[in-house]
Amino acid sequence: MANPTNVSESPNTDAQMSGKRRRKKSLVWEHFTIETINAECTKARCMQCKKSFAYISGAKLAGTSHLKRHISLGICPAGRTNENAGQIIPYTPLPSVNSTQDVIVNDLPRKRQRNTSGSTSVSFYQDRCRHDIAKMIIMHEYPLNIVECSAFMNCVNALQPQFPAVPLDVIEQDCVQLYRREKQNLFNVIGSILGRVNLSLDMLWSNDQSVGYAVITGQFIDYDWKLHRRILSVVVLPFPDSDSALNHAFLSCITDWNLENKLFGITLDESFANKDARENLKRLLSVKNPLILNGKLLIGSCYARVLCQLAGDALGSLRETVNKVRDSVKYVVTVDARQQRFNDLKLQLQVPSTKSLVLDDQTQWNTTYSMLVAACELKEVFSCLDTFDLNYQITVTMEEWRQVEALCAILKYVLDAASPLTGPTYRTANVFFHDAWKLQLELVHAAGSNDVFIRTLTRSMHERFNKYWNDYFLVFSIAVVMDPRFKMQLVEFSFTRIYGEGAHDWIKAVSDGARDMFLNYQVQMLPAPTFVVDGNGGFAHEEEEEETVLHCEIIKTEDSDNELFLSTSDGFSDFDLYISGITSHESMKPELDQYLEESILPRMQDFDVLGWWNQNADKYPILSKMASDILCIPVSTVSQDYVFDMTCKKMDRYRSSLRPSTIEALVCAKDWLQHGSSDYSPDYSPSVSPTSVVKAEL
């Protein structure tokens, strides 16, 4: 006979309970649904494994004990699969909402949230799903309103029919909450570093370019001597052309991240930072931190943008010829029959080139370079193409082909100079010296070439890069001096190649700059002066007292030379004093001199300069701190994906319509998540604002 208690646990007891107080339903119905087979048979269906169990057969009620065992004892195979997969939140379907089970998930009674299997409650399962949706939106730059898209909802319903629709404002809050948590983590990391932070500023523009978004990135070396580059702030600039716009952006970032005493230098894109704006910014920063080398390293220019401008100058000087070559390539590659005819002609002429023709993306100058190189190797085929294809009527003369080849040779130097920017990881500043000085050397030679075309082609390029080199060579040079494989020797070698007899002044500028910078660090790291009472009851510096005591000991030793000598068995006491004096003198030599006088290390392809300084930090405590700051200077303001970009970056119309705080959350969180996945944390309180989280630490 059926147990009366079990009868009361049936979800279809409205009729039986008429006129009586409804009793609470069993927890088992969070995992099972009722399906009617026929008028005489009703079964319970597991939501996880979809297996059916006996429940009502005619007048007989099977009860729920066997259903509880199916869940609580781990009999269900779906439950075991989820557990073996190591999921943080087990599969826990939400109860259906119907006339007999009108249950709101977030308002479940406390008793119904208990689970005999020890799994997490349903509400946390929902939060985890919303966390993953927010992470997906951030990482792939989907619009927030994707949660209201019918196709997205159909996909979610197919995976989990009970998962409720997420309102637009809720998913926006979830994205901001994830950003706040990651910001607090990064804030703690930056607060723990021993060195300084370098900043760089890049711009995103609205579609009409009337509003700018200053993307400020921080570059620093952590306690383990690992280089980090993270976007710190996105500041909306309604009037980006004003002289105070940059001040507002940087001041906001410096204050928000507590960098008043940690700032080292700033790198800008000169295309939107005019001279007046840079001077205003320098005055602002001079108040925030002591100037290094009279401000010569305080503000730098973007290396990638300068290289793009060089490529633009070169391509612009030969624009008509480049367009003719581009039209020739377009004629061939856009129609399969023409491509086949071109390839057949190439085989007949036995042209050895292995390159394939590809039409360039005119917004990326490196693709134009690749197109021109391939076309030059196939110029013989283009020259004969009109005889095999009467529709081809583009004529590129041999002189024009010669000019294109010269253009490619010049662009190759620019491409090589940009290669350190395109790697999978960000590089320390010392890496850029070699390619930068080689580019300067080649442009100097090209500007003085006997070939009129070469001189004309490279004149504007040389003027532009020479200005950049004169303003920024100290950064490259002092950074490479901090590389124990090169030190001053590479500076002397390269400057002699560039400047010949006039190299001495340039080399001296680097040497003096490194020493002045080291002196600045030495002064900053001096301990606070302490005083001791002298024999006359006065005060003297502790260092002076130690020196007096040492002097007295030496005089006493000199007055009793014979006594000391006679008391020594081997007779080398004077020699020992002599050696100790030499050792003491050498230990007083500045760290920079000790470092430079040591032999350079053998060159290795995968040399870890930061790892070397980590191992030698105890030997060079002051110099290592200087090295950490100079090596993490960002020479470029753009990411690897935009190194060759010839156009300004724009924000799509939808994102531009969002609140500034939401834009910053989406942009920053994507950058941070790319360097480490954010784990779901149900304990994080969404009610705490990003500002309050950070300010609490300040």
Side-chain angles (χ1 to χ4, degrees):
M1 295 293 293
N3 192 320
T5 302
N6 289 341
V7 172
S8 67
E9 292 177 347
S10 170
N12 300 314
T13 56
D14 290 348
Q16 299 178 23
M17 300 296 295
S18 176
K20 298 181 180 181
R21 180 180 179 184
R22 174 180 292 183
R23 302 177 64 181
K24 294 183 179 179
K25 303 176 180 62
S26 172
L27 290 173
V28 76
W29 299 114
E30 293 181 1
H31 304 276
F32 288 84
T33 57
I34 299 298
E35 57 180 7
T36 302
I37 305 301
N38 51 51
E40 299 292 329
C41 180
T42 302
K43 290 190 175 185
R45 181 181 178 86
C46 178
M47 296 181 185
Q48 299 188 43
C49 65
K50 308 303 181 184
K51 186 176 180 180
S52 297
F53 297 83
Y55 184 60
I56 298 177
S57 179
K60 184 178 180 180
L61 181 65
T64 60
S65 298
H66 63 302
L67 305 182
K68 293 178 180 178
R69 289 194 296 272
H70 179 73
I71 298 299
S72 61
L73 298 181
I75 300 174
C76 179
R80 293 198 302 271
T81 301
N82 292 333
E83 182 178 357
N84 295 335
Q87 293 183 1
I88 298 176
I89 306 299
Y91 176 85
T92 311
L94 305 180
S96 301
V97 179
N98 49 44
S99 59
T100 61
Q101 267 187 314
D102 190 10
V103 181
I104 300 176
V105 175
N106 290 328
D107 294 330
L108 286 175
R110 183 177 299 274
K111 182 177 180 180
R112 292 191 55 77
Q113 291 187 13
R114 292 200 303 267
N115 192 312
T116 58
S117 64
S119 62
T120 308
S121 65
V122 175
S123 61
F124 283 131
Y125 177 82
Q126 285 190 19
D127 291 344
R128 173 59 188 264
C129 290
R130 281 170 37 193
H131 169 87
D132 289 338
I133 291 175
K135 188 174 178 180
M136 175 195 72
I137 289 174
I138 291 172
M139 292 295 294
H140 299 283
E141 298 187 7
Y142 295 139
L144 294 174
N145 57 12
I146 190 176
V147 296
E148 298 177 342
C149 176
S150 59
F152 177 81
M153 291 305 303
N154 291 339
C155 179
V156 171
N157 290 333
L159 295 173
Q160 175 50 272
Q162 283 77 32
F163 188 77
V166 182
L168 180 61
D169 59 335
V170 172
I171 199 63
E172 182 177 1
Q173 293 175 8
D174 290 343
C175 291
V176 173
Q177 174 186 348
L178 192 153
Y179 156 78
R180 291 172 180 169
R181 182 169 58 250
E182 294 299 317
K183 180 175 183 179
Q184 181 62 63
N185 295 337
L186 181 57
F187 186 87
N188 294 337
V189 171
I190 294 178
S192 67
I193 66 174
L194 301 178
R196 301 188 188 183
V197 178
N198 288 279
L199 300 179
S200 61
L201 184 144
D202 195 21
M203 290 289 285
L204 283 170
W205 298 92
S206 59
N207 284 327
D208 58 1
Q209 298 190 29
S210 62
V211 177
Y213 302 86
V215 181
I216 302 177
T217 302
Q219 195 155 299
F220 58 91
I221 294 174
D222 66 12
Y223 190 83
D224 295 322
W225 285 84
K226 302 297 182 184
L227 180 66
H228 297 271
R229 182 183 175 99
R230 301 288 188 273
I231 295 177
L232 300 183
S233 301
V234 178
V235 184
V236 179
L237 304 178
F239 305 99
D241 296 330
S242 65
D243 294 340
S244 61
L246 294 182
N247 287 18
H248 167 68
F250 279 110
L251 188 60
S252 173
C253 177
I254 292 171
T255 303
D256 194 23
W257 290 90
N258 196 21
L259 299 178
E260 286 85 354
N261 299 319
K262 283 184 174 290
L263 184 63
F264 182 78
I266 286 178
T267 304
L268 299 172
D269 183 353
E270 286 189 340
S271 62
F272 57 82
N274 57 45
K275 183 178 180 180
D276 292 337
R278 291 167 68 93
E279 288 300 321
N280 288 340
L281 182 60
K282 181 176 292 189
R283 285 192 292 270
L284 170 69
L285 298 179
S286 65
V287 178
K288 295 296 179 182
N289 68 309
L291 290 177
I292 303 297
L293 294 182
N294 297 321
K296 292 180 180 178
L297 302 186
L298 185 61
I299 299 181
S301 299
C302 177
Y303 184 53
R305 294 276 68 83
V306 171
L307 297 181
C308 282
Q309 291 166 358
L310 295 181
D313 291 341
L315 293 170
S317 64
L318 212 61
R319 181 177 292 104
E320 293 183 3
T321 303
V322 171
N323 287 337
K324 290 173 66 175
V325 174
R326 180 180 292 114
D327 290 341
S328 297
V329 173
K330 184 189 301 184
Y331 178 85
V332 172
V333 301
T334 53
V335 179
D336 291 341
R338 296 173 184 168
Q339 180 75 71
Q340 185 60 47
R341 192 178 301 115
F342 186 88
N343 293 337
D344 293 341
L345 180 57
K346 173 185 172 183
L347 292 176
Q348 294 181 27
L349 297 175
Q350 297 182 352
V351 177
S353 175
T354 59
K355 295 187 180 299
S356 301
L357 293 176
V358 178
L359 196 61
D360 67 326
D361 177 0
Q362 296 185 48
T363 65
Q364 302 281 327
W365 69 264
N366 62 318
T367 65
T368 304
Y369 165 79
S370 299
M371 179 193 71
L372 295 177
V373 169
C376 285
E377 291 191 9
L378 297 168
K379 61 180 181 293
E380 296 179 17
V381 184
F382 280 109
S383 298
C384 299
L385 185 59
D386 57 345
T387 60
F388 288 83
D389 187 346
L390 299 180
N391 293 324
Y392 177 73
Q393 299 179 353
I394 305 173
T395 302
V396 183
T397 66
M398 294 308 296
E399 175 60 22
E400 288 175 328
W401 282 117
R402 186 189 73 83
Q403 293 177 355
V404 172
E405 290 175 340
L407 172 64
C408 291
I410 296 298
L411 289 178
K412 180 63 166 60
Y413 295 122
V414 183
L415 186 68
D416 291 341
S419 60
L421 296 169
T422 59
T425 58
Y426 293 101
R427 313 294 295 275
T428 48
N430 60 299
V431 174
F432 298 90
F433 178 84
H434 184 65
D435 293 307
W437 83 260
K438 285 182 63 178
L439 178 59
Q440 171 71 353
L441 177 64
E442 294 301 334
L443 291 177
V444 168
H445 289 169
S449 172
N450 294 328
D451 190 316
V452 177
F453 173 75
I454 297 295
R455 289 203 308 272
T456 305
L457 176 66
T458 59
R459 182 184 299 117
S460 61
M461 298 176 66
H462 175 250
E463 292 176 355
R464 185 185 298 277
F465 193 74
N466 190 58
K467 179 182 181 301
Y468 173 78
W469 175 259
N470 292 343
D471 292 339
Y472 217 57
F473 79 97
L474 269 180
V475 172
F476 291 115
S477 301
I478 298 179
V480 84
V481 169
M482 295 295 101
D483 189 331
R485 298 171 298 170
F486 301 113
K487 301 184 180 179
M488 282 296 299
Q489 283 86 329
L490 184 58
V491 174
E492 295 166 356
F493 169 77
S494 57
F495 282 16
T496 302
R497 296 277 305 276
I498 297 174
Y499 303 109
E501 296 179 355
H504 175 267
D505 293 338
W506 292 87
I507 296 172
K508 185 176 184 302
V510 175
S511 178
D512 292 345
R515 294 184 184 280
D516 290 345
M517 181 178 294
F518 175 76
L519 180 61
N520 183 282
Y521 277 83
Q522 195 172 34
V523 170
Q524 291 181 17
M525 295 183 67
L526 283 177
T530 57
F531 299 90
V532 296
V533 180
D534 60 19
N536 299 322
F539 292 90
H541 285 286
E542 186 175 9
E543 294 82 2
E544 295 176 359
E545 181 73 13
E546 293 176 357
E547 182 180 352
T548 304
V549 173
L550 179 61
H551 179 64
C552 292
E553 291 177 350
I554 294 175
I555 294 177
K556 181 178 180 181
T557 303
E558 291 176 351
D559 290 342
S560 56
D561 264 351
N562 295 332
E563 180 181 352
L564 181 62
F565 177 77
L566 292 174
S567 65
T568 305
S569 59
D570 58 6
F572 280 96
S573 298
D574 287 347
F575 177 73
D576 292 338
L577 286 174
Y578 172 74
I579 293 300
S580 66
I582 294 178
T583 305
S584 176
H585 177 72
E586 288 181 348
S587 64
M588 296 298 292
K589 186 179 297 185
E591 293 178 20
L592 181 59
D593 291 337
Q594 295 182 47
Y595 168 76
L596 294 177
E597 290 174 5
E598 291 181 355
S599 300
I600 62 175
L601 298 182
R603 292 192 307 278
M604 293 179 289
Q605 186 68 24
D606 298 326
F607 178 74
D608 182 6
V609 65
L610 296 181
W612 187 91
W613 279 106
N614 186 22
Q615 296 175 0
N616 290 272
D618 293 337
K619 183 178 180 181
Y620 304 111
I622 301 176
L623 192 61
S624 62
K625 182 172 174 54
M626 169 178 157
S628 70
D629 292 339
I630 195 73
L631 290 174
C632 71
I633 289 181
V635 301
S636 174
T637 65
V638 300
S639 63
Q640 296 97 324
D641 296 335
Y642 296 94
V643 170
F644 304 105
D645 205 330
M646 303 286 286
T647 59
C648 61
K649 292 184 289 184
K650 293 184 180 181
M651 186 176 292
D652 61 68
R653 183 175 289 104
Y654 174 78
R655 285 211 166 186
S656 299
S657 66
L658 299 176
R659 289 192 290 263
S661 59
T662 303
I663 294 174
E664 182 176 43
L666 295 175
V667 174
C668 291
K670 178 185 178 182
D671 179 72
W672 301 340
L673 292 176
Q674 287 174 341
H675 296 90
S677 178
S678 174
D679 294 329
Y680 170 69
S681 176
D683 296 330
Y684 185 85
S685 174
S687 62
V688 182
S689 67
T691 304
S692 62
V693 169
V694 175
K695 296 303 181 184
E697 290 294 324
L698 292 176

